[in-house]
Every structure is written in structure tokens, then in C-alpha cells.
Amino acid sequence: MILHKKMLKAFFLFLGFFRLVTSFAQSQIAFPPIDPLFVYENTSDLTAQEIICVGIAFSGGDPDSSQGARDYQTFLGLAAKVLEYKNLPQIEQAEKVLSVMYGNLLTRYKSDQTKLDVALQNGTYNCVSASILYLALAKTLGLNVKVQRTPSHAFCSVYVDGKKIDVEATNPSGFNPGTKKMLDEKRYFVVPKKYYNSRHEISDRMAVSLIARNISANSSNRKDYKTAISFAATRYVFMKDEVGPDNDALKDFTSVLSNYTAYLTGKKQFQPAVIWCEYVQERWPQVDLSADYDTAVYNYVAVLCNANRADEALDFYVPRKTKIFEKTQKLLEPVIFSARVRADLALMKDGNLNDKALAYIESARENALSSDAGVKKLLTEMQEYFWLRKVQDESNKGDWLSASKIADAALAQMPTSAKIKNIKKQCLYNYDVVVHNKFVKAVNSGKYDEALEILDEGLKNNPTSSTLLSDKRALKMVGR
């Protein structure tokens, strides 16, 4: 097999976690590597020997290592045995390949044992590793053999005299499944045709790449994204020039990259998720993580806004605005605007700047974003808050009448505010109490004319006061 040696060394040097320091975080973010483990430059049809070498590499082994050489020698030993049947009819040769595999190597089926090098080392196998081994050995005999793929299985087919014969490589008697295999004159058994629906005949390149696909998928399920991504990247580069509906290498690569993004967002690491998507898109523009990116940007901006970090939210959002979906822009901009409003008004709360805050709110209402329901609700709540503070500040001086007049000004802007109506009522009640107490003091001192003047002044300011009207009626009853 021809592996690009310089590229191989470069890629292995590049592996290990990529560390990136961003301007948005003080700590370093460790990401899995996103480059392939190796690059295979030969784009022509694969020979039997190349299938084995690439299969070993896709299994995570090194064909040029001492172990890789031993694995390859194991294959050559099997190849020598199948060549002993070279003079038989092709249909018999095809069946003998299974006999050689199971008579000399394969011993135990294991559903997740997809690695070819492991199969060559200890004889454990699954449908992929067994099918790749059958493919290479059948090619050694010059047979026309192809791998068939279904959503959950892989097996082989050989073409003999224009006839297509299936081979279930996971069974020593799997040649032409569905036919009787005679054990003796009276007994036979049948290998059923299982999992053969939705079959697709695939290229040798696609077939051998299934090793990496399975390793990547299994690793992703374990959240071992370092392995999952590097194997998916290797498979994508290996398959990128093959055209056809069966080439799902880019889709699978995108999926595992997306899974890692989801892993980050699931841990609420929204900022790293954004940086990760940007890192991937820069290295692999063919990969579409736009939906993941959009979600991560939204979540991180929302987190900043909820933490009252409006300036950071805006700085983070602006350079990414055109990279996210328009609907997300429409959702985020009112959120950022609201955060900005809350931050500015918080300063005015601390400074007791009620009039300035109310003017700010009126100015904010001129912004187009104020039509958003959330912004509108915030501005209304803040307006009510500062009016109430203004009334309360005046009340704290004991000037209940002035406080009630401020409440009237507030109600002119917010006529339905129950809180302002209530505080006005409290202010007038307290005003009535003050006037009533003055009235009682004057009456008790025998100053009835002064008492009447006190009531008239009070009723002038609060003509509907039941307390003051009652006082006036009482004063009349004594003839004053």
C-alpha cells in the first residue's frame, strides 16, 4: 500500500488535543483533533494486498510496523492456501475461500469486532471484518467479488458465469445462503438470508472504509470523540473523490462533528461550542455545522445577557450576526437590547436618577426593537418601577400631597397600573390623616374657624376624601 509518508508523519504530529486560546475566555479550550490519521493517495481500484493494508490502517494499526508486517504475513499465508484451489471451477473456488478463512483463522463472531488487524491476530470478527477478508482473498483468486451493504449488515457476492451468488462471510457455511448444506446422506442445514433487505453493492474503497465508519460510530457512542472524529476524517478524505448515493462519508463526518458540538452544549459550554464550530468550518468548509453553530451562538449570547453582560454579548454577537440564521438574529437582537436597557437602568437605580431613567425609557421606546413583546414588557416594568420610586422618594419626605400628584403624572402615562393606583391611594390616605390630625387639634383647642379652614384646604386637594367629608359634617353638627 502507498501511504503518503510525509503526510502520515505530519498528521500524527498534529494529533493530540488541539489547544486554542480565545479572546473570550481566560482558560484554554482543548478540542479533539480533526485531521485524518493518514492519507491514501492511490485513487485507482484496490488490489487484494492494498485492501489488507488499508484495512489494517483503518483499524488503527500501522501497516509498516512490525505488528502490521505480521498481520500482513497472516493474510499472505491464507492467500497461499486459497491459491491451492486456483484450478477448480470458480464457483468452487469462491466456496473454498470461506473454508480457508474458518479452517485457518476465524474462530469467534463478536458483533463489534470490526477491525481487520484484530481479526488477523486472534480470529475474532464481525460482518465487516469477515467480509473485507473474504473480499481480499477472493480477489487473490481473480474472482469477480463485491461487498453488499445494508443498513445493519455487510456481506459479499461473487459473479460466476453471469450468476450472482451471495456469501455470508460470518458463517463457515455461508456460501449461497438459503440453499441446503448436506452434512451426510440424511442431514442438512440452511444458512438463512438475514438482514439482506435494502442491499446496495458498494465499491471496494467504500467496503474497506466501513471499518473506520464502525470504529467512529462506536467511539462516538462512548463519547470518545478524539477517536470518533479522527477516524471519520480519515474515511472522508479516503472517500471524497467517489461519486454516488452510497458515499455517506461526508455525512458521517459531519454527524460526529455535530455530536461533539451537542456534547459541549449539553454541558452548557456554549462559548467553546461556538469556537469549535468556527474551527471546524475553517478547516473543513465542506462540513455544514450551521444549525449547531446557530444554536451555540444563541445560547451563549443568551447566557451573557442573563448575566447582565450586555457589552460582552454585543461584542460576541456582532461579528457572527451574518453567520447565523435570520430568525435567530430576530430573536437575539431584542434579547441583547433588553440586556443593554437593564444594565443602563441598573446604574440609574444605584444613582437614584429617577427622572433620567424615565427619560431613558421614553427614548428606548423610539428604538424599532421596542415593538418586541419582551422588550415592551421590560420597558413597561421599568417605567412603573421608576415612577413608584419617584413617588416613594417624595413620600419619604412626608409630602403626601406632592407624592400623590407625582402618582397622577405617572397614571397619565400608565393609566392601567394597579401599583401606581394603589400607591396614590396610600398617599392620599396619609395626607387625609395629616389633615385630620390638624383638624382635631384645632377643634380641641376651640379654634373652630381654623379647623374649618384646615378642612376646606384638605378637601380642595382631595375633594372625595371620606375622612375629611365626615369631619366637616361633624363640625357642622356642633353649629360651626
Side-chain angles (χ1 to χ4, degrees):
M1 182 185 73
I2 304 173
L3 285 176
H4 195 306
K5 294 294 184 180
K6 292 183 178 178
M7 292 297 287
L8 183 63
K9 179 182 289 187
F11 281 129
F12 275 117
L13 286 173
F14 186 77
L15 292 182
F17 280 83
F18 180 86
R19 303 192 68 81
L20 177 67
V21 180
T22 76
S23 59
F24 302 105
Q26 298 300 316
S27 60
Q28 291 182 319
I29 303 168
F31 291 140
I34 59 174
D35 278 284
L37 297 169
F38 65 86
V39 174
Y40 183 73
E41 292 191 322
N42 185 3
T43 59
S44 60
D45 293 339
L46 301 178
T47 65
Q49 291 77 14
E50 288 173 327
I51 288 171
I52 295 301
C53 290
V54 173
I56 291 171
F58 269 133
S59 300
D62 180 1
D64 295 327
S65 68
S66 57
Q67 181 60 60
R70 287 193 293 272
D71 296 341
Y72 186 68
Q73 285 300 316
T74 298
F75 165 74
L76 291 180
L78 295 173
K81 289 183 181 297
V82 299
L83 286 173
E84 294 175 6
Y85 304 107
K86 182 69 174 175
N87 295 326
L88 293 178
Q90 285 193 334
I91 191 168
E92 294 182 29
Q93 292 180 37
E95 190 165 8
K96 287 295 185 182
V97 172
L98 274 181
S99 300
V100 169
M101 287 168 53
Y102 284 91
N104 297 275
L105 179 64
L106 301 185
T107 57
R108 183 166 65 94
Y109 175 83
K110 190 177 179 183
S111 61
D112 62 348
Q113 204 310 84
T114 196
K115 296 182 178 182
L116 182 61
D117 60 348
V118 174
L120 290 168
Q121 290 163 24
N122 64 25
T124 58
Y125 61 93
N126 71 355
C127 63
V128 170
S129 50
S131 293
I132 298 305
L133 183 58
Y134 184 92
L135 174 70
L137 290 172
K139 276 183 168 289
T140 300
L141 286 167
L143 296 175
N144 183 3
V145 57
K146 293 291 183 183
V147 172
Q148 309 290 329
R149 179 185 179 188
T150 76
S152 59
H153 191 46
F155 59 99
C156 294
S157 295
V158 291
Y159 292 84
V160 179
D161 299 327
K163 181 181 178 182
K164 182 178 181 179
I165 303 172
D166 291 336
V167 181
E168 178 52 69
T170 61
N171 192 302
S173 301
F175 187 79
N176 200 10
T179 60
K180 295 181 179 180
K181 308 291 181 180
M182 301 303 298
L183 297 176
D184 51 41
E185 293 181 355
K186 294 182 179 180
R187 296 181 302 156
Y188 68 89
F189 67 97
V190 178
V191 175
K193 290 188 174 183
K194 294 182 178 179
Y195 315 118
Y196 287 5
N197 294 330
S198 303
R199 59 194 284 166
H200 296 278
E201 187 167 287
I202 58 177
S203 69
D204 296 347
R205 296 181 75 88
M206 174 60 72
V208 75
S209 81
L210 293 179
I211 298 173
R213 184 179 192 268
N214 286 355
I215 293 173
S216 177
N218 291 337
S219 299
S220 183
N221 290 338
R222 298 192 305 269
K223 293 182 171 53
D224 175 8
Y225 294 107
K226 179 180 179 181
T227 301
I229 292 170
S230 59
F231 274 83
T234 307
R235 180 173 182 250
Y236 167 64
V237 172
F238 182 72
M239 293 301 302
K240 65 183 177 65
D241 294 325
E242 182 167 310
V243 178
D246 293 324
N247 188 355
D248 54 3
L250 177 57
K251 177 183 175 183
D252 289 343
F253 186 31
T254 301
S255 178
V256 73
L257 292 168
S258 177
N259 287 346
Y260 181 67
T261 313
Y263 169 78
L264 292 173
T265 56
K267 288 182 170 292
K268 300 188 183 305
Q269 296 183 17
F270 302 124
Q271 182 201 20
V274 172
I275 306 302
W276 163 255
C277 289
E278 292 173 343
Y279 169 46
V280 170
Q281 295 287 183
E282 182 178 356
R283 174 63 181 87
W284 299 106
Q286 310 92 324
V287 171
D288 180 11
L289 293 181
S290 55
D292 304 88
Y293 183 70
D294 184 85
T295 300
V297 170
Y298 176 87
N299 284 331
Y300 187 57
V301 171
V303 165
L304 291 174
C305 290
N306 290 337
N308 295 320
R309 295 159 63 185
D311 290 339
E312 291 178 65
L314 188 61
D315 289 343
F316 190 83
Y317 170 75
V318 169
R320 295 171 173 85
K321 175 179 178 178
T322 59
K323 301 176 185 178
I324 62 175
F325 301 147
E326 185 176 348
K327 65 179 182 180
T328 305
Q329 296 174 26
K330 292 179 179 179
L331 289 172
L332 275 181
E333 289 177 5
V335 172
I336 298 171
F337 182 69
S338 293
R340 177 74 275 156
V341 168
R342 284 195 299 270
D344 290 342
L345 291 177
L347 296 175
M348 297 178 201
K349 285 182 183 179
D350 295 338
N352 199 26
L353 303 172
N354 298 324
D355 290 330
K356 185 177 180 180
L358 291 168
Y360 175 93
I361 291 168
E362 288 304 308
S363 176
R365 283 202 166 99
E366 297 176 4
N367 191 297
L369 293 171
S370 66
S371 61
D372 175 81
V375 175
K376 189 180 296 185
K377 182 174 183 287
L378 172 66
L379 292 177
T380 299
E381 290 174 350
M382 289 294 97
Q383 183 183 31
E384 183 179 63
Y385 170 84
F386 281 102
W387 271 119
L388 290 171
R389 277 208 357 175
K390 191 172 180 180
V391 173
Q392 189 62 52
D393 288 349
E394 198 68 18
S395 298
N396 291 340
K397 300 174 185 177
D399 191 344
W400 303 109
L401 183 61
S402 294
S404 72
K405 290 179 179 179
I406 292 172
D408 283 331
L411 287 170
Q413 293 185 6
M414 310 183 72
T416 61
S417 172
K419 290 182 178 180
I420 294 176
K421 288 179 180 179
N422 187 54
I423 200 171
K424 177 189 175 183
K425 183 178 179 180
Q426 292 173 1
C427 290
L428 289 175
Y429 173 81
N430 289 338
Y431 173 73
D432 290 348
V433 170
V434 171
V435 174
H436 171 77
N437 289 341
K438 287 181 180 180
F439 161 75
V440 170
K441 183 178 181 181
V443 169
N444 290 339
S445 299
K447 300 177 181 179
Y448 298 112
D449 291 337
E450 182 180 337
L452 181 60
E453 289 177 2
I454 290 171
L455 288 178
D456 287 341
E457 179 66 21
L459 286 168
K460 177 182 177 183
N461 293 321
N462 187 15
T464 62
S465 169
S466 60
T467 299
L468 300 185
L469 287 172
S470 177
D471 287 344
K472 193 167 187 178
R473 285 194 298 271
L475 186 61
K476 287 181 179 180
M477 288 177 65
V478 297
R480 299 296 178 178

